[in-house]
Amino acid sequence: AKDRGKHRTARFSPELDQVAAEDAGLGADLRRAVDAGELHMVYQPIVELPAGRTVAVEALVRWRHPLRGAVPPSVFIPVAERTGLIVPLGAWILRTACEQAVRLPAPLTVSVNVSARQLREPDFIASVRRILDETGVDVARLSVEVTETAVFDDELALASVRALRAMGLRIALDDFGTGHSSLGLLRICPVDVLKVDKSFVDEICADGPPAVITTALLQIARGLRLDAVAEGVETPDQAERLHALGYRYAQGYLFSRPLPAADLERLVADPVTV
Ligand code: C2E
Ligand code: CA
Ligand code: CA
Ligand code: CA
């Protein structure tokens, strides 16, 4: 039955077949990339408005492919998810981010993206425990970012998020307001932080639906006693508007691009001022 399925894909859906072939090619490269040292992490500051003091950093993975050059995570993370490679890759990401968190001065925290596939993996929580033990990181210095889509209607993923929360990690709902949004999720999924998606922040200075939604999301966060972080802030006008609305935390190129680990200490010493 499996073979017939494959055959059908090839006959009726060449574009799907091409996706599979590309996944296989990139996937094979990705498999060796960790061992070959082609991956590294960068860290983007999350700042407090209006002064721009860094309170946390988000860990973001980078891949420098020997032939293709920089492959963006928006390309290879989906491949890693489809092929299952996200499981070992995600473990490497978490370990590297934890090692970095140990070196950062308190109270700076590190926020790590975790994909849907990782959350559904039966060994995920055991693997997180092992990494926390081995790196000796204080869980209070660690957040995980999960998307609404990852936990929406998925009991396995929800159970993992609850277990992470029970271990003392903070939970951030990433890209909030996009994807399979359901405010009902906030009743069943433990959450500490709402990350309001860049698509809303982009239009915060115009008087349209995005500005209304950005305002409403802050009210929800406040009512539920959650922190709200505005993502993708690029202009001083956006930062001012967000601050005026009552947003306390922001992230975006205006404050800093994602930085290599070596640049983090300097950043803590000299906060970015807007
Ligand atoms: P995300 O989790 O929403 O991460 C934020 C993305 O927005 C990052 O892109 C960041 O560099 C970018 N960004 C931040 N500020 C600005 C801004 O002011 N303007 C613009 N135009 N972009 C901004 P990046 O690093 O390319 O990552 C893209 C996505 O790939 C991430 O979206 C996340 O979904 C995924 N990703 C990245 N690193 C990891 C990882 O370590 N693990 C997992 N599972 N996913 C990751
Ligand atoms: Ca994120
Ligand atoms: Ca995001
Ligand atoms: Ca995003």
Side-chain angles (χ1 to χ4, degrees):
K2 228 179 183 177
D3 283 339
R4 210 184 303 145
K6 267 186 200 156
H7 186 65
R8 221 183 274 145
T9 298
R11 265 179 74 194
F12 295 118
S13 187
E15 58 293 341
L16 262 188
D17 211 42
Q18 197 185 333
V19 167
E22 278 170 16
D23 279 11
L26 208 56
D29 286 4
L30 194 52
R31 198 161 292 142
R32 359 155 310 268
V34 177
D35 293 333
E38 291 166 17
L39 294 165
H40 67 282
M41 301 303 295
V42 291
Y43 300 87
Q44 186 177 34
I46 297 170
V47 306
E48 192 167 24
L49 296 172
R53 185 175 63 97
T54 300
V55 294
V57 294
E58 177 177 1
L60 296 159
V61 67
R62 294 291 179 263
W63 182 12
R64 231 180 274 116
H65 189 284
L67 301 174
R68 299 173 197 246
V71 184
S74 57
V75 171
F76 70 84
I77 292 288
V79 175
E81 290 210 29
R82 286 193 292 267
T83 57
L85 275 174
I86 192 69
V87 174
L89 176 59
W92 178 84
I93 287 169
L94 181 62
R95 178 179 301 278
T96 307
C98 286
E99 286 166 353
Q100 186 59 53
V102 169
R103 286 195 293 265
L104 283 180
L108 276 191
T109 60
V110 176
S111 199
V112 184
N113 292 284
V114 171
S115 80
R117 176 72 180 256
Q118 288 174 275
L119 292 172
R120 281 197 296 268
E121 203 59 31
D123 290 339
F124 177 64
I125 292 300
S127 138
V128 171
R129 257 185 233 288
R130 196 157 52 236
I131 292 167
L132 296 181
D133 280 354
E134 287 170 9
T135 56
V137 70
D138 174 2
V139 285
R141 307 284 301 284
L142 216 54
S143 304
V144 294
E145 301 195 2
V146 301
T147 61
E148 293 162 282
T149 312
V151 280
F152 183 80
D153 213 12
D154 189 323
E155 278 306 322
L156 266 179
L158 260 178
S160 287
V161 172
R162 293 189 182 118
L164 292 171
R165 182 54 143 29
M167 287 161 69
L169 285 87
R170 278 164 51 94
I171 311 294
L173 269 188
D174 203 358
D175 303 345
F176 195 73
T178 64
H180 290 98
S181 299
S182 154
L183 293 176
L185 195 60
L186 296 174
R187 289 192 314 192
I188 56 170
C189 183
V191 180
D192 302 284
V193 181
L194 291 186
K195 297 196 76 176
V196 176
D197 193 66
K198 177 178 191 305
S199 55
F200 300 113
V201 173
D202 280 344
E203 296 184 60
I204 185 76
C205 294
D207 289 322
V212 174
I213 293 168
T214 313
T215 307
L217 290 179
L218 183 66
Q219 298 314 315
I220 291 169
R222 279 189 170 156
L224 297 174
R225 307 247 186 297
L226 311 177
D227 286 336
V229 178
E231 292 194 283
V233 179
E234 293 182 341
T235 70
D237 283 353
Q238 289 170 346
E240 267 166 41
R241 186 79 200 271
L242 288 163
H243 181 57
L245 285 176
Y247 273 84
R248 186 169 171 197
Y249 301 110
Q251 179 180 3
Y253 294 168
L254 173 66
F255 306 102
S256 174
R257 298 249 168 189
L259 303 170
D263 291 353
L264 283 180
E265 276 166 48
R266 202 175 322 141
L267 179 104
V268 179
D270 317 305
V272 199
T273 325
V274 185

